[in-house]
Amino acid sequence: MMKRDYDIIIAGGGVAGLTAAISAAKHSNQNLRILVVDRNSRGEVGKKSPNGWVCGDAVSRRSLEYASSNSGVVYTAPEIEHKVKGVLLLSPDHETSVLFEGEGYLLNRKLFSKKQMMEAEKLGVEFRFNTAITGLMSDGKQVVGVIGRDTNSGSKFTATSKLVVDATGAASRLRANLPIKSMIEREIHRDDLEATGRYIYTFKQKKEDKTYFDSDYCLIHLDQELAPGGYCWTFPKGKNKVNIGLGVQKKALDARNRRFNRSDTLQSLIDTYVSRNIALDEPTLSQDQNDQGNTSGSWQVPVRRQNDCLVANGYAILGDAAWMPRPIDAGGIGPALYGGTILGKLAAEAVEASDTSEEGLWRFNIEYMRLYGYQMASFEALRRYLQTLSNEDINYGMKNFLSQEDIQHITRREHPEFNKIQLFNPVMWLKILRKPTLAKGLKQVSELSKRLINHNLNYPEKPSRFDAWQKDLHRLLYKYIRN
Ligand SMILES: Cc1cc2nc3c(=O)[nH]c(=O)nc-3n(C[C@H](O)[C@H](O)[C@H](O)COP(=O)(O)OP(=O)(O)OC[C@H]3O[C@@H](n4cnc5c(N)ncnc54)[C@H](O)[C@@H]3O)c2cc1C
C-alpha cells in the first residue's frame, strides 16, 4: 500500500465513531495511526447539531456491556445518569400496558462523548477538532482520504488514509457523494426518516401516575394522533428529571394534519404532549451544568434496516450514517456500540493485512448482520405496517392479539409471532371477526419477518453474490409492504 498520513480516519466523533476508534486502537497490534475528525470543538465533541447531543439518552445495559467487555472501557456515573428496570409500552387509550423487563441506562450524551474521547486518547487515537469533512479523496477505485474545512479559519484540510470510516450521523453527505463504484446504497427514502425532538426537564411531581412518569421505567406512549408514524416517550433521568419528546414520520404527519384540518408541527406536538402529562408540574429546562446547551432540540433518525452494504474500497459506513438505528424504536446507541466495536476490530485487522478493499472489509457486513443487523429488515416491515394503523387498531391489537410470549420475543429483540391469532380458538375467533384485516395484517407481517430473518442470516460471504441476495431481499420486503 502507498504511504498514507493515517491508517484509519474516522469522520465524526459521535458514539459510533468513537466506539470504532477505541475498538480499532484496542485491537491494533502495530500501533496504527488513527485520526478522528469532528466538526465540533474539543469541549463539544459528539454534538450532533447546534441544538446539542439530541437524543432520548436510553440504552440497554446489554449493549453497553458488549462495548465495555470488548474494549475494557468501564462506563459509570456521571456519563450514566440514571438506571431503569425496563420499558413500559402504553396503548393510545392507556388501557393496555406492556412491560418489557431488562435493565437499561439513561446516559448524559455530552459526558458520554467526553468519556469516550478520553478513553480513545489513552489508547493513542489522535483528534482533529473544528474540522468539517466535506468530501472524500479517491484514486478512481479506492477512497484514499478526506477533504475538509477548518470551521474557525475556513482553511482547507486534507489527509490521506488506508481506510475512511464515515460516522458523520444521519445527515451524512459523504455516502451520497461517494466518488467510487460501490454497492452501498446512497440515499435514504424520506419516509424512512423520523423527525424527532425532546426536552430535558426537571419538574415537581404533580400526581403519582406511573403511566405518565415512572422513575424506574422508560415509558413509550403510542399515539398516532400525537406522534403520527412514530411514538412519544417519557424517560426518567432521576426522580424529578425527565427526557421527554416524540418522533413523527413527515408523510404520516401531513396526512394526520389534513384529516383534522390542522397545521401541527413536530414542535407543537411535543409541546402538546408535555402539557398533557399529568405527572409533571412546572417542567423547567434542566439547569444542570452538564446539560448546558443540550436541553431542547430536534434531529432526524433513520428508521429502516441498515444499508444493505456497509463497505466499499477504502471506505465503511457506521451508525446513523449507515442507517443502523432499530426501525421500530429508533434506538441507535446500541447499534452504534455493536457496529463500532465490530468495525474497529475488523478495520485494524484489514489494515494490518494490507487489504482495505471492499473484499478485505466484507466481514463487517457479515459479522454485523449475524450479531445484530439480521432482525432489522423484519423490524422495518413491522414499522411500516404499524404506521398504517389507527389508534383504535393499536388499542385493539395490544389488548387482544399481543401475548405474553410475544412480549418475551420483543424483550429478546425478536419479532412477535402473534400466535394468539388462531381461528380454532372460539373466543379468539370472535375477536378476529371484529378486526379481520388487522388480524391478517399482523400475521402476515410476522410470517414475512421470519423469512426476512432467514434471508439476512444468509448474507453473502462474498461481494460477487451480493446483487442476487439484495434482489431477493427487496422482492421479499416489498411484496407486502411498500413506501
Ligand atoms: C430526539 C432523538 C431521540 C433519540 N433517542 C434515542 C434513545 O433513547 N436511544 C437510542 O439508542 N437512540 C436514540 N436516538 C438515536 C441516537 O441518538 C443515534 O442513533 C446516535 O446518536 C447515532 O450515533 P452516531 O455516532 O452514528 O451519530 P451522531 O451521534 O449524530 O454523531 C455524529 C458526529 O459526527 C459529527 N459530524 C457530522 N458531520 C460531520 C462532518 N461533515 N465532518 C465532521 N464531523 C461531522 C457530528 O457533529 C457528531 O459529532 C435518538 C435520536 C434522536 C434525534
Side-chain angles (χ1 to χ4, degrees), residues 11-18 37-40 44-49 53-59 106 109 131-134 167-172 174 194 196-198 231 233 235 243 246 297-302 318-321 325-326 329-336:
V15 56
L18 293 178
V37 184
D38 197 72
R39 64 184 171 194
N40 301 294
E44 296 196 321
V45 63
K47 185 172 165 176
K48 288 185 186 186
S49 79
W53 293 252
V54 186
C55 186
D57 302 334
V59 64
L106 272 291
R109 289 287 307 262
T131 304
I133 305 288
T134 52
T168 55
S172 166
L174 303 181
E194 196 89 353
T196 51
R198 61 92 182 100
Y231 68 83
W233 70 86
F235 291 172
N243 180 317
L246 58 82
S298 57
W299 194 236
Q300 53 185 344
V301 196
L318 186 65
D320 282 16
R326 279 188 307 277
D329 61 6
I333 303 173

Side-chain angles (χ1 to χ4, degrees), residues 25-229:
K26 183 86 189 166
H27 290 96
S28 138
N29 298 316
Q30 296 170 10
N31 263 335
L32 297 183
R33 279 198 78 187
I34 302 164
L35 176 72
V36 173
V37 184
D38 197 72
R39 64 184 171 194
N40 301 294
S41 64
R42 184 182 175 82
E44 296 196 321
V45 63
K47 185 172 165 176
K48 288 185 186 186
S49 79
N51 286 330
W53 293 252
V54 186
C55 186
D57 302 334
V59 64
S60 72
R61 179 177 154 179
R62 186 164 56 171
S63 307
L64 205 57
E65 281 184 356
Y66 174 82
S68 285
S69 62
N70 279 280
S71 64
V73 176
V74 179
Y75 297 101
T76 169
E79 63 274 8
I80 292 181
E81 212 179 325
H82 186 67
K83 293 185 186 176
V84 288
K85 295 177 185 160
V87 177
L88 191 72
L89 179 74
L90 288 121
S91 60
D93 59 7
H94 278 225
E95 278 185 19
T96 314
S97 62
V98 178
L99 183 62
F100 302 103
E101 294 285 358
E103 279 180 57
Y105 301 124
L106 272 291
L107 302 177
N108 181 307
R109 289 287 307 262
K110 229 174 133 171
L111 299 182
F112 190 76
S113 295
K114 274 196 187 137
K115 163 86 175 182
Q116 287 202 305
M117 174 187 72
M118 277 161 21
E119 294 292 335
E121 280 181 333
K122 276 192 224 159
L123 292 165
V125 173
E126 297 169 47
F127 280 80
R128 186 178 166 106
F129 294 106
N130 301 309
T131 304
I133 305 288
T134 52
L136 298 165
M137 281 193 272
S138 92
D139 63 7
K141 286 192 174 150
Q142 172 114 4
V143 171
V144 295
V146 294
I147 306 166
R149 179 178 45 80
D150 187 298
T151 54
N152 291 327
S153 66
S155 60
K156 190 172 175 187
F157 165 77
T158 58
T160 58
S161 64
K162 296 168 187 163
L163 172 65
V164 174
V165 173
D166 176 1
T168 55
S172 166
R173 295 312 297 157
L174 303 181
R175 182 198 62 240
N177 298 319
L178 186 60
I180 55 166
K181 198 164 165 275
S182 138
M183 292 183 274
I184 291 175
E185 297 163 277
R186 310 282 170 124
E187 298 286 356
I188 188 166
H189 194 286
R190 78 173 114 69
D191 293 345
D192 291 331
L193 280 173
E194 196 89 353
T196 51
R198 61 92 182 100
Y199 292 111
I200 298 179
Y201 280 136
T202 53
F203 63 92
K204 292 184 194 152
Q205 192 143 35
K206 195 168 10 182
K207 182 173 187 263
E208 168 119 33
D209 182 333
K210 289 191 184 259
T211 68
Y212 283 93
F213 179 82
D214 188 332
S215 62
D216 285 330
Y217 288 93
C218 285
L219 305 185
I220 291 185
H221 295 116
L222 296 178
D223 192 328
Q224 292 283 44
E225 282 155 31
L226 212 44

